[in-house]
Amino acid sequence: SSDESIYAIGEVAAIDGKMCYGLWAPGVEQAEALAQKLLGKPEAPEYFASDLSTKLKLLGVEVASFGRSADFWFKGQYSGKDPSLKVIESKDDLNDTYRRLFFSADGSKLMGGILIGDAKDYSKLLQLSKKDDLAGNDPVALAFKLPPPGASSAVADGGDGTGLTDDDPICTCLGLSKGQVRNAIIDMEAYTIPLIKKACKAGTGCGGCVTPVGEVPKLLTHTLKKLGKAGSSGICCHIKFSRKELFDIIKVKELKSFEEVMSEVGEGSPDGCELCKPVVASILSGLWNDHALKEGRDQIQDTNDRFLANIQKTGTYSVIPR
Protein backbone atom coordinates (compact mmCIF):
# COMPACT_ATOMS: atom_id res chain seq x y z
CA SER A 1 0.00 0.00 0.00
CA SER A 2 1.06 3.65 0.25
CA ASP A 3 2.43 2.74 3.69
CA GLU A 4 5.43 0.40 3.40
CA SER A 5 4.40 -1.36 6.62
CA ILE A 6 0.89 -2.22 5.42
CA TYR A 7 0.14 -4.87 2.82
CA ALA A 8 -3.15 -5.76 1.13
CA ILE A 9 -4.22 -8.92 -0.66
CA GLY A 10 -7.46 -10.25 -2.08
CA GLU A 11 -10.46 -8.16 -3.01
CA VAL A 12 -9.23 -5.03 -1.18
CA ALA A 13 -5.96 -4.92 -3.13
CA ALA A 14 -5.88 -2.85 -6.34
CA ILE A 15 -2.91 -4.22 -8.30
CA ASP A 16 -1.06 -1.25 -9.83
CA GLY A 17 -4.02 0.82 -8.73
CA LYS A 18 -6.19 -0.76 -11.40
CA MET A 19 -7.16 -4.40 -10.99
CA CYS A 20 -9.03 -5.97 -8.04
CA TYR A 21 -9.39 -9.75 -8.10
CA GLY A 22 -12.55 -11.25 -6.62
CA LEU A 23 -11.48 -14.88 -7.04
CA TRP A 24 -9.97 -17.37 -4.62
CA ALA A 25 -6.94 -18.43 -6.69
CA PRO A 26 -5.47 -14.92 -7.15
CA GLY A 27 -5.83 -14.34 -3.41
CA VAL A 28 -3.82 -17.50 -2.73
CA GLU A 29 -1.09 -16.43 -5.17
CA GLN A 30 -0.92 -12.99 -3.54
CA ALA A 31 -0.76 -14.53 -0.06
CA GLU A 32 2.08 -16.84 -1.09
CA ALA A 33 4.10 -13.95 -2.51
CA LEU A 34 3.47 -11.85 0.59
CA ALA A 35 4.38 -14.69 2.97
CA GLN A 36 7.73 -15.16 1.22
CA LYS A 37 8.42 -11.41 1.46
CA LEU A 38 7.50 -11.24 5.16
CA LEU A 39 9.85 -14.14 5.83
CA GLY A 40 12.61 -12.10 4.25
CA LYS A 41 13.54 -14.70 1.67
CA PRO A 42 15.80 -13.23 -1.01
CA GLU A 43 14.15 -15.35 -3.70
CA ALA A 44 10.67 -14.12 -2.77
CA PRO A 45 8.59 -13.86 -5.96
CA GLU A 46 6.99 -10.61 -7.05
CA TYR A 47 3.29 -10.58 -7.78
CA PHE A 48 2.13 -8.92 -11.00
CA ALA A 49 -1.11 -10.53 -12.16
CA SER A 50 -3.28 -13.67 -12.04
CA ASP A 51 -5.19 -15.77 -14.52
CA LEU A 52 -8.90 -14.89 -14.47
CA SER A 53 -9.95 -18.35 -15.64
CA THR A 54 -12.30 -19.94 -13.14
CA LYS A 55 -14.90 -22.65 -12.58
CA LEU A 56 -17.91 -22.05 -10.34
CA LYS A 57 -21.23 -23.58 -9.46
CA LEU A 58 -24.07 -21.05 -9.42
CA LEU A 59 -27.43 -22.21 -8.05
CA GLY A 60 -26.56 -25.79 -8.93
CA VAL A 61 -25.31 -25.04 -12.47
CA GLU A 62 -21.66 -25.53 -13.41
CA VAL A 63 -20.16 -22.55 -15.25
CA ALA A 64 -16.60 -21.83 -16.32
CA SER A 65 -14.60 -19.47 -18.47
CA PHE A 66 -10.93 -19.56 -19.45
CA GLY A 67 -8.65 -17.52 -21.66
CA ARG A 68 -5.12 -17.51 -23.02
CA SER A 69 -4.68 -13.97 -21.66
CA ALA A 70 -6.63 -11.20 -19.93
CA ASP A 71 -7.59 -9.90 -23.39
CA PHE A 72 -10.21 -12.65 -23.50
CA TRP A 73 -12.22 -10.71 -20.90
CA PHE A 74 -11.00 -7.10 -21.03
CA LYS A 75 -11.06 -6.79 -24.81
CA GLY A 76 -14.37 -8.61 -25.09
CA GLN A 77 -13.07 -11.59 -27.04
CA TYR A 78 -15.65 -13.76 -25.24
CA SER A 79 -18.43 -11.93 -27.11
CA GLY A 80 -17.43 -13.58 -30.39
CA LYS A 81 -17.11 -10.23 -32.17
CA ASP A 82 -13.32 -10.23 -32.49
CA PRO A 83 -12.57 -10.82 -36.21
CA SER A 84 -9.18 -12.32 -35.38
CA LEU A 85 -10.79 -15.31 -33.64
CA LYS A 86 -12.87 -18.20 -34.92
CA VAL A 87 -15.78 -19.44 -32.80
CA ILE A 88 -17.35 -22.89 -32.56
CA GLU A 89 -20.49 -23.35 -30.44
CA SER A 90 -22.25 -26.51 -29.33
CA LYS A 91 -25.56 -26.80 -27.48
CA ASP A 92 -27.19 -29.87 -25.98
CA ASP A 93 -30.83 -29.23 -25.11
CA LEU A 94 -31.29 -32.74 -23.75
CA ASN A 95 -28.65 -32.26 -21.06
CA ASP A 96 -28.94 -28.46 -20.83
CA THR A 97 -25.28 -27.80 -21.64
CA TYR A 98 -23.56 -25.23 -23.81
CA ARG A 99 -19.97 -24.49 -24.78
CA ARG A 100 -18.37 -21.79 -26.90
CA LEU A 101 -14.70 -22.23 -27.84
CA PHE A 102 -12.48 -19.60 -29.44
CA PHE A 103 -9.59 -20.46 -31.75
CA SER A 104 -6.90 -18.49 -33.56
CA ALA A 105 -7.69 -17.51 -37.16
CA ASP A 106 -5.83 -20.56 -38.53
CA GLY A 107 -7.39 -22.90 -35.96
CA SER A 108 -4.04 -23.93 -34.52
CA LYS A 109 -4.49 -22.51 -31.00
CA LEU A 110 -7.25 -22.53 -28.40
CA MET A 111 -7.68 -18.93 -27.21
CA GLY A 112 -10.47 -19.29 -24.65
CA GLY A 113 -13.90 -20.66 -23.94
CA ILE A 114 -17.17 -20.55 -22.02
CA LEU A 115 -18.78 -23.67 -20.50
CA ILE A 116 -22.31 -23.84 -19.04
CA GLY A 117 -24.01 -26.85 -17.50
CA ASP A 118 -21.00 -29.16 -17.88
CA ALA A 119 -17.55 -27.95 -16.84
CA LYS A 120 -15.85 -31.34 -16.54
CA ASP A 121 -13.44 -30.49 -19.36
CA TYR A 122 -12.45 -27.16 -17.80
CA SER A 123 -9.05 -28.27 -16.51
CA LYS A 124 -8.10 -29.97 -19.78
CA LEU A 125 -9.21 -27.02 -21.91
CA LEU A 126 -7.52 -24.50 -19.61
CA GLN A 127 -4.18 -26.28 -19.97
CA LEU A 128 -4.67 -26.57 -23.72
CA SER A 129 -5.29 -22.82 -24.00
CA LYS A 130 -1.80 -22.17 -22.59
CA LYS A 131 -0.06 -24.31 -25.20
CA ASP A 132 1.31 -23.27 -28.60
CA ASP A 133 -0.83 -25.81 -30.44
CA LEU A 134 -3.86 -28.07 -29.93
CA ALA A 135 -1.71 -31.08 -28.92
CA GLY A 136 -3.18 -33.23 -31.68
CA ASN A 137 -6.78 -32.23 -30.97
CA ASP A 138 -9.27 -31.06 -33.57
CA PRO A 139 -11.20 -27.79 -32.99
CA VAL A 140 -14.56 -29.30 -33.90
CA ALA A 141 -13.89 -32.37 -31.76
CA LEU A 142 -13.08 -30.15 -28.77
CA ALA A 143 -16.26 -28.13 -29.23
CA PHE A 144 -18.48 -31.20 -29.51
CA LYS A 145 -16.61 -33.32 -26.92
CA LEU A 146 -15.40 -35.87 -29.46
CA PRO A 147 -12.09 -37.79 -29.39
CA PRO A 148 -9.26 -36.49 -31.63
CA PRO A 149 -9.25 -37.85 -35.22
CA GLY A 150 -8.10 -41.47 -35.25
CA ALA A 151 -8.03 -41.66 -31.46
CA SER A 152 -10.00 -43.94 -29.16
CA SER A 153 -12.90 -42.46 -27.23
CA ALA A 154 -11.33 -43.77 -24.02
CA VAL A 155 -9.97 -41.06 -21.69
CA ALA A 156 -6.34 -41.37 -20.61
CA ASP A 157 -7.17 -40.99 -16.92
CA GLY A 158 -5.91 -44.38 -15.81
CA GLY A 159 -9.45 -45.64 -15.25
CA ASP A 160 -10.25 -43.46 -12.23
CA GLY A 161 -13.17 -41.71 -13.94
CA THR A 162 -11.82 -38.18 -13.49
CA GLY A 163 -11.14 -37.60 -17.17
CA LEU A 164 -7.80 -36.02 -16.17
CA THR A 165 -4.21 -36.95 -16.91
CA ASP A 166 -1.60 -36.79 -14.15
CA ASP A 167 -0.47 -33.34 -15.28
CA ASP A 168 -3.98 -31.82 -15.36
CA PRO A 169 -5.00 -29.69 -12.36
CA ILE A 170 -7.51 -31.40 -10.10
CA CYS A 171 -7.70 -28.54 -7.58
CA THR A 172 -7.67 -25.34 -9.59
CA CYS A 173 -7.81 -23.09 -6.51
CA LEU A 174 -4.44 -24.35 -5.26
CA GLY A 175 -3.03 -25.34 -8.64
CA LEU A 176 -2.56 -28.98 -7.64
CA SER A 177 -2.32 -31.63 -10.36
CA LYS A 178 -3.93 -35.04 -10.17
CA GLY A 179 -0.49 -36.62 -9.88
CA GLN A 180 0.39 -34.46 -6.88
CA VAL A 181 -2.79 -35.40 -5.05
CA ARG A 182 -2.31 -39.10 -5.83
CA ASN A 183 1.25 -38.93 -4.48
CA ALA A 184 -0.08 -37.34 -1.29
CA ILE A 185 -2.60 -40.17 -0.90
CA ILE A 186 0.10 -42.83 -1.32
CA ASP A 187 3.18 -41.26 0.27
CA MET A 188 1.43 -39.53 3.21
CA GLU A 189 -1.25 -42.21 3.70
CA ALA A 190 -4.02 -39.67 3.19
CA TYR A 191 -6.80 -42.20 2.92
CA THR A 192 -9.72 -39.84 3.63
CA ILE A 193 -10.78 -36.43 2.32
CA PRO A 194 -9.87 -34.65 5.60
CA LEU A 195 -6.41 -36.26 5.51
CA ILE A 196 -5.96 -35.21 1.88
CA LYS A 197 -6.79 -31.62 2.87
CA LYS A 198 -4.10 -31.74 5.56
CA ALA A 199 -1.55 -33.47 3.36
CA CYS A 200 -1.64 -31.26 0.27
CA LYS A 201 -4.37 -28.65 0.87
CA ALA A 202 -6.54 -29.96 -1.98
CA GLY A 203 -10.14 -28.95 -1.41
CA THR A 204 -9.34 -26.14 1.05
CA GLY A 205 -10.23 -23.47 -1.52
CA CYS A 206 -13.76 -23.44 -2.89
CA GLY A 207 -14.15 -27.14 -2.01
CA GLY A 208 -15.69 -28.09 -5.34
CA CYS A 209 -13.11 -30.79 -6.09
CA VAL A 210 -13.85 -32.72 -2.88
CA THR A 211 -17.66 -32.79 -3.07
CA PRO A 212 -19.22 -36.26 -3.48
CA VAL A 213 -19.31 -35.73 -7.26
CA GLY A 214 -15.88 -34.05 -7.43
CA GLU A 215 -12.72 -35.46 -8.97
CA VAL A 216 -10.74 -35.99 -5.73
CA PRO A 217 -13.15 -38.61 -4.25
CA LYS A 218 -13.00 -40.51 -7.56
CA LEU A 219 -9.21 -40.43 -7.48
CA LEU A 220 -9.17 -41.47 -3.82
CA THR A 221 -11.47 -44.45 -4.39
CA HIS A 222 -9.46 -45.65 -7.39
CA THR A 223 -6.11 -45.21 -5.64
CA LEU A 224 -7.25 -47.05 -2.50
CA LYS A 225 -8.52 -49.90 -4.64
CA LYS A 226 -5.14 -50.21 -6.37
CA LEU A 227 -3.44 -50.17 -2.96
CA GLY A 228 -5.69 -52.98 -1.80
CA LYS A 229 -7.29 -50.86 0.88
CA ALA A 230 -10.98 -50.56 1.59
CA GLY A 231 -12.35 -47.12 0.90
CA SER A 232 -15.75 -45.80 1.86
CA SER A 233 -18.15 -45.68 -1.07
CA GLY A 234 -20.68 -43.61 0.83
CA ILE A 235 -21.28 -39.88 0.86
CA CYS A 236 -19.22 -39.36 4.00
CA CYS A 237 -18.37 -40.97 7.36
CA HIS A 238 -21.91 -40.26 8.59
CA ILE A 239 -23.84 -41.74 5.63
CA LYS A 240 -22.47 -44.97 4.17
CA PHE A 241 -24.78 -44.93 1.15
CA SER A 242 -24.29 -43.45 -2.31
CA ARG A 243 -26.43 -40.50 -3.35
CA LYS A 244 -28.69 -42.74 -5.44
CA GLU A 245 -29.13 -45.21 -2.58
CA LEU A 246 -29.90 -42.38 -0.16
CA PHE A 247 -32.41 -40.91 -2.62
CA ASP A 248 -34.25 -44.24 -2.79
CA ILE A 249 -34.27 -44.62 1.02
CA ILE A 250 -35.67 -41.11 1.57
CA LYS A 251 -38.32 -41.64 -1.11
CA VAL A 252 -39.48 -45.10 0.03
CA LYS A 253 -39.52 -44.22 3.74
CA GLU A 254 -40.92 -40.72 3.06
CA LEU A 255 -38.36 -38.97 5.23
CA LYS A 256 -39.06 -35.23 5.33
CA SER A 257 -36.27 -33.71 7.42
CA PHE A 258 -32.53 -33.96 7.96
CA GLU A 259 -33.14 -35.22 11.51
CA GLU A 260 -35.32 -38.06 10.21
CA VAL A 261 -32.70 -39.00 7.62
CA MET A 262 -29.87 -39.07 10.16
CA SER A 263 -31.99 -41.05 12.60
CA GLU A 264 -32.68 -43.64 9.89
CA VAL A 265 -29.30 -43.99 8.15
CA GLY A 266 -26.81 -41.76 9.97
CA GLU A 267 -23.76 -42.87 11.94
CA GLY A 268 -21.75 -40.91 14.45
CA SER A 269 -22.66 -37.27 14.97
CA PRO A 270 -26.36 -36.53 14.31
CA ASP A 271 -25.31 -33.09 13.06
CA GLY A 272 -23.69 -34.52 9.93
CA CYS A 273 -20.97 -32.60 8.09
CA GLU A 274 -20.30 -30.28 5.17
CA LEU A 275 -20.51 -33.21 2.74
CA CYS A 276 -23.76 -34.92 3.70
CA LYS A 277 -25.89 -31.91 4.67
CA PRO A 278 -26.06 -30.28 1.21
CA VAL A 279 -26.73 -33.67 -0.40
CA VAL A 280 -29.65 -34.40 1.93
CA ALA A 281 -30.97 -30.86 1.43
CA SER A 282 -30.91 -31.30 -2.35
CA ILE A 283 -32.73 -34.65 -2.19
CA LEU A 284 -35.40 -33.34 0.19
CA SER A 285 -36.09 -30.31 -2.00
CA GLY A 286 -36.21 -32.40 -5.15
CA LEU A 287 -38.49 -35.09 -3.75
CA TRP A 288 -40.99 -33.07 -1.74
CA ASN A 289 -40.87 -29.79 -3.68
CA ASP A 290 -40.53 -27.65 -0.55
CA HIS A 291 -38.68 -24.36 -0.60
CA ALA A 292 -34.94 -25.00 -0.33
CA LEU A 293 -34.55 -22.40 2.43
CA LYS A 294 -37.63 -23.20 4.51
CA GLU A 295 -37.18 -23.12 8.27
CA GLY A 296 -35.11 -26.06 9.49
CA ARG A 297 -33.77 -26.81 6.02
CA ASP A 298 -31.83 -23.61 5.46
CA GLN A 299 -29.22 -24.70 7.99
CA ILE A 300 -28.20 -27.74 5.95
CA GLN A 301 -27.85 -25.98 2.60
CA ASP A 302 -24.46 -25.47 1.04
CA THR A 303 -23.26 -22.09 2.23
CA ASN A 304 -22.98 -20.74 -1.31
CA ASP A 305 -26.66 -21.54 -1.96
CA ARG A 306 -27.81 -20.43 1.47
CA PHE A 307 -26.23 -16.98 1.40
CA LEU A 308 -25.67 -16.56 -2.36
CA ALA A 309 -22.06 -15.83 -1.52
CA ASN A 310 -18.72 -17.62 -1.48
CA ILE A 311 -17.50 -18.64 1.96
CA GLN A 312 -13.82 -18.12 2.71
CA LYS A 313 -11.54 -20.08 5.07
CA THR A 314 -11.92 -17.32 7.68
CA GLY A 315 -15.68 -17.79 7.86
CA THR A 316 -16.36 -14.54 6.01
CA TYR A 317 -18.17 -14.31 2.69
CA SER A 318 -17.40 -12.64 -0.62
CA VAL A 319 -20.42 -11.24 -2.40
CA ILE A 320 -20.43 -9.98 -5.99
CA PRO A 321 -23.54 -7.82 -6.61
CA ARG A 322 -25.54 -8.82 -9.66
Side-chain angles (χ1 to χ4, degrees), residues 68 82-88 102-111 139:
R68 180 174 289 263
D82 189 329
S84 67
L85 300 181
K86 300 297 183 181
V87 185
I88 302 180
F102 299 79
F103 299 89
S104 57
D106 60 0
S108 64
K109 298 178 182 179
L110 177 62
M111 306 302 290

Side-chain angles (χ1 to χ4, degrees), residues 54 67 262 266:
T54 189
M262 293 304 291

Side-chain angles (χ1 to χ4, degrees), residues 107 119 121 130 152 185 233 319:
D121 290 340
K130 308 303 181 184
S152 169
I185 295 172
S233 60
V319 181

Side-chain angles (χ1 to χ4, degrees), residues 56-253:
L56 301 170
K57 193 168 186 178
L58 303 177
L59 299 178
V61 179
E62 289 186 352
V63 296
S65 70
F66 60 92
R68 180 174 289 263
S69 69
D71 290 347
F72 183 72
W73 296 276
F74 294 131
K75 291 189 177 181
Q77 293 179 348
Y78 63 84
S79 67
K81 298 179 181 179
D82 189 329
S84 67
L85 300 181
K86 300 297 183 181
V87 185
I88 302 180
E89 296 178 296
S90 68
K91 182 180 180 183
D92 183 349
D93 287 331
L94 290 176
N95 296 302
D96 292 326
T97 63
Y98 169 84
R99 67 170 55 190
R100 173 189 282 189
L101 299 185
F102 299 79
F103 299 89
S104 57
D106 60 0
S108 64
K109 298 178 182 179
L110 177 62
M111 306 302 290
I114 298 171
L115 310 174
I116 301 176
D118 179 6
K120 293 184 179 66
D121 290 340
Y122 167 75
S123 297
K124 179 181 72 174
L125 293 172
L126 173 61
Q127 295 304 305
L128 197 58
S129 71
K130 308 303 181 184
K131 296 181 178 179
D132 293 330
D133 54 37
L134 294 179
N137 290 281
D138 177 72
V140 174
L142 289 173
F144 288 89
K145 299 191 291 185
L146 302 173
S152 169
S153 59
V155 181
D157 60 5
D160 56 29
T162 62
L164 304 173
T165 66
D166 281 353
D167 294 331
D168 289 335
I170 196 170
C171 177
T172 54
C173 292
L174 279 296
L176 294 170
S177 69
K178 189 181 83 169
Q180 288 175 308
V181 175
R182 182 198 289 111
N183 290 339
I185 295 172
I186 297 173
D187 299 338
M188 304 181 72
E189 298 185 354
Y191 299 152
T192 65
I193 295 298
L195 288 177
I196 290 176
K197 289 182 177 181
K198 291 181 179 179
C200 63
K201 304 300 182 183
T204 58
C206 72
C209 62
V210 294
T211 61
V213 294
E215 289 81 8
V216 172
K218 295 176 184 176
L219 175 62
L220 175 61
T221 299
H222 184 262
T223 303
L224 290 179
K225 185 176 181 180
K226 292 189 69 174
L227 292 174
K229 298 182 179 295
S232 174
S233 60
I235 293 173
C236 66
C237 62
H238 303 108
I239 298 180
K240 303 299 184 182
F241 298 95
S242 67
R243 191 187 191 285
K244 183 181 184 306
E245 292 170 334
L246 181 61
F247 180 95
D248 292 337
I249 292 172
I250 293 175
K251 182 177 181 180
V252 170
K253 298 196 174 185

Side-chain angles (χ1 to χ4, degrees), residues 16-28:
D16 290 331
K18 300 176 182 178
M19 181 63 190
C20 295
Y21 293 94
L23 300 171
W24 171 269
V28 172

